[in-house]
Amino acid sequence: MIKVFEFKNLGPLDYVAADNLGQINLIIGPNSAGKTWLLKALYAAIRTLEETGRGHSNSSLSDVLSDKLYWTFQSGKLGDIVSKGKGKKLSASVTLKGQPPLDFSFGQDTAKQVGDVTSEGLHRREANSIFMPPKEVLSLDKIILQTAIIEKQFGFDSTYTDLVLALQKQEPQGKSNLPLAQTGHALESMFAGRIEYDRNRKEWIYKVGNTRFSINATAEGIKKIGILDILIRNQYLTQDSVVFIDEPESALHPTAITQLFDIIELLAKQGMQFFIASHSYYVVKKLYITALQENIDIPVLIANGNGQWQQASLKDGIPDNEIINESVRLFEQEIGVA
């Protein structure tokens, strides 16, 4: 689990840091504040610790980190993701529970190799983490693999390709007794069906009873929930996984958002950690209620749009933010014209 992080001069993020992170962590702020940049940077760091030394790869941690940053941010050179300004240098530190920090830094002239990496004492994570972007990938999986894996062209970054490859993991035979299995059933009950891969036709389908629907004719919200269900069923995600979700409210009805976060709460209780970037009033309100009901700290990072960030806990109340403020303004406007 990620406990502490600090980033300086990362794209639009002049400085952002957090400590005492929890099982569920919320990131909010205006457009272009750098919420997605932060999620991607954290994802690249933790995936580096999961991919280094895995399988038959002899790549060093520095090589894996460099490659992951390059294909996640897809800039002409790594130095392009350093904040603009003469002499600026990106520096980062990400600390996982029970491990020393992963520290790295590089300047604006860096091409594709991060040279300054401190990894002494770090050990590889056995679990898998995943990034869920706003757009679903099930109907685009072949295009994503062709573009990113075969042609090695920019277009779909590593968050997309890693997700498509994770979805390809074959589901174990027989019923699972793992703790996460019951959560998978809850996800499927939200839409009274499940998404499966038809290996004969080599395509994803949405199955309700004995009826099958093309994935292209399936609602975006169902596909989004289905992706999480698949990753639990095929056991790519386990109790120690970290899940990054960018705009979970995208394509979801408010009722579905509430149901999804009930399931996220269950997964968090079983050990999974979540980092969620959102613009949704319903997401903020639902997590606030969860913090009160469960008496738990849910850290929230808030960007004010001027490069400044603050950390608070939803257990202590909903901090001042424009998502809530705008809903209040609209309510007051309604009262004024009623």
Side-chain angles (χ1 to χ4, degrees), residues 27-263:
I27 302 169
I28 58 177
N31 291 328
S32 301
K35 299 185 298 297
T36 301
W37 279 71
L38 177 56
L39 285 184
K40 286 184 174 182
L42 288 169
Y43 175 74
I46 198 165
R47 280 303 289 167
T48 294
L49 296 177
E50 293 170 354
E51 294 180 6
T52 302
R54 184 171 286 189
H56 301 291
S57 173
N58 294 318
S59 298
S60 67
L61 185 143
S62 177
D63 290 336
V64 174
L65 175 64
S66 301
D67 189 66
K68 185 59 68 175
L69 287 170
Y70 181 75
W71 286 102
T72 297
F73 288 97
Q74 296 201 350
S75 296
K77 64 180 192 297
L78 284 180
D80 291 339
I81 70 174
V82 180
S83 300
K84 303 304 179 186
K86 187 176 180 180
K88 285 194 174 182
K89 188 176 184 179
L90 183 153
S91 64
S93 181
V94 180
T95 304
L96 276 63
K97 184 178 180 180
Q99 291 221 49
L102 168 62
D103 297 328
F104 60 92
S105 62
F106 53 89
Q108 296 173 342
D109 294 331
T110 303
K112 291 186 178 180
Q113 186 67 38
V114 180
D116 190 1
V117 182
T118 302
S119 58
E120 185 177 352
L122 286 167
H123 56 269
R124 181 170 64 82
R125 291 189 84 242
E126 296 299 326
N128 291 307
S129 299
I130 205 70
F131 189 111
M132 296 180 63
K135 188 169 181 62
E136 60 83 23
V137 301
L138 296 174
S139 56
L140 297 170
D141 59 345
K142 295 182 179 65
I143 296 173
I144 292 171
L145 292 178
Q146 177 70 30
T147 303
I149 303 297
I150 298 174
E151 298 174 0
K152 292 193 177 299
Q153 295 182 1
F154 284 175
F156 295 101
D157 64 51
S158 283
T159 64
Y160 285 88
T161 54
D162 289 351
L163 179 54
V164 169
L165 292 172
L167 290 166
Q168 289 188 338
K169 185 176 186 285
Q170 193 155 356
E171 187 175 342
Q173 297 296 316
K175 283 191 175 182
S176 172
N177 293 318
L178 295 176
L180 298 186
Q182 60 178 328
T183 309
H185 299 323
L187 285 165
E188 292 169 23
S189 69
M190 287 177 63
F191 294 107
R194 67 190 299 179
I195 291 177
E196 298 178 348
Y197 190 71
D198 188 324
R199 300 197 175 274
N200 294 323
R201 299 167 61 179
K202 295 183 179 179
E203 64 180 16
W204 292 98
I205 59 167
Y206 175 47
K207 186 176 179 182
V208 181
N210 294 321
T211 305
R212 298 185 171 200
F213 300 91
S214 165
I215 201 66
N216 295 316
T218 302
E220 291 281 314
I222 293 176
K223 287 185 277 191
K224 187 167 225 174
I225 300 297
I227 285 172
L228 185 56
D229 178 37
I230 293 163
L231 295 176
I232 291 172
R233 291 202 322 255
N234 70 11
Q235 297 176 21
Y236 182 86
L237 293 180
T238 59
Q239 288 171 280
D240 295 323
S241 293
V242 180
V243 179
F244 302 86
I245 310 179
D246 197 3
E247 298 182 21
E249 66 273 13
S250 176
L252 288 182
H253 185 277
T255 302
I257 293 174
T258 300
Q259 292 173 322
L260 173 60
F261 274 83
D262 284 335
I263 291 167

Side-chain angles (χ1 to χ4, degrees), residues 1-5 18-23 25 273 275 299 311:
M1 189 169 81
I2 299 174
K3 296 298 294 181
V4 179
F5 68 75
D19 57 13
N20 297 318
L21 293 164
Q23 298 298 134
N25 306 276
Q273 186 181 32
F275 287 86
Q311 180 177 349

